[in-house]
Amino acid sequence: QVELVESGGGLVQAGGSLRLSCAASGRSFDTYGMGWFRQAPGLERVFVAAVNWSGHNTNYADSVKGRFTISRDNVKNTVYLQMNNLKPEDTAVYYCAASPGGFSTGPFSSWGQGTQVIVSS
């Protein structure tokens, strides 16, 4: 089991950037696939991006391709989501998740508490 704590959310104007971080505690972080999901008010939680255990394989939702980049640092036990050219529709609570299988495709079984991102127009 791994515990996850997200940070880096906030209020930003459309076109701006934010970098989210997710710090993991527990052993064997470098064996987990890691992902980011988001949930907007009144909507279901949806997939944003994921990276496999080594960092060499990534997946993105079509809505964020070319704007968001997921990466990880297995020394710091941290996964990042760099978000550029933010749009008001990116407003959501962003959650970090871990997949014990190591793949970027999940399944994801551990979740953080979330960090709020608000993009103003």
Side-chain angles (χ1 to χ4, degrees), residues 5-56:
V5 178
E6 302 96 334
S7 62
L11 173 64
V12 64
Q13 288 188 333
S17 298
L18 281 175
R19 188 176 81 156
L20 305 183
S21 299
C22 173
S25 61
R27 297 181 177 179
S28 304
F29 172 77
D30 58 359
T31 67
Y32 284 84
M34 298 298 297
W36 287 96
F37 292 74
R38 68 187 182 187
Q39 187 169 17
L43 300 179
E44 294 184 351
R45 190 175 301 185
V46 297
F47 170 77
V48 175
V51 61
N52 76 329
W53 65 273
S54 69
H56 292 158

Side-chain angles (χ1 to χ4, degrees), residues 6-14 16-21 36-41 48 67-68 81-95 114-120:
E6 302 96 334
S7 62
L11 173 64
V12 64
Q13 288 188 333
S17 298
L18 281 175
R19 188 176 81 156
L20 305 183
S21 299
W36 287 96
F37 292 74
R38 68 187 182 187
Q39 187 169 17
V48 175
R67 300 189 298 122
F68 291 11
L81 185 69
Q82 177 66 43
M83 305 186 295
N84 298 329
N85 191 21
L86 282 160
K87 304 176 181 181
E89 52 263 43
D90 295 318
T91 295
V93 176
Y94 283 71
Y95 297 90
T115 186
Q116 177 74 58
V117 172
I118 299 174
V119 183
S120 64

Side-chain angles (χ1 to χ4, degrees), residues 87-112:
K87 304 176 181 181
E89 52 263 43
D90 295 318
T91 295
V93 176
Y94 283 71
Y95 297 90
C96 176
S99 171
F103 301 106
S104 61
T105 52
F108 297 92
S109 57
S110 298
W111 296 84

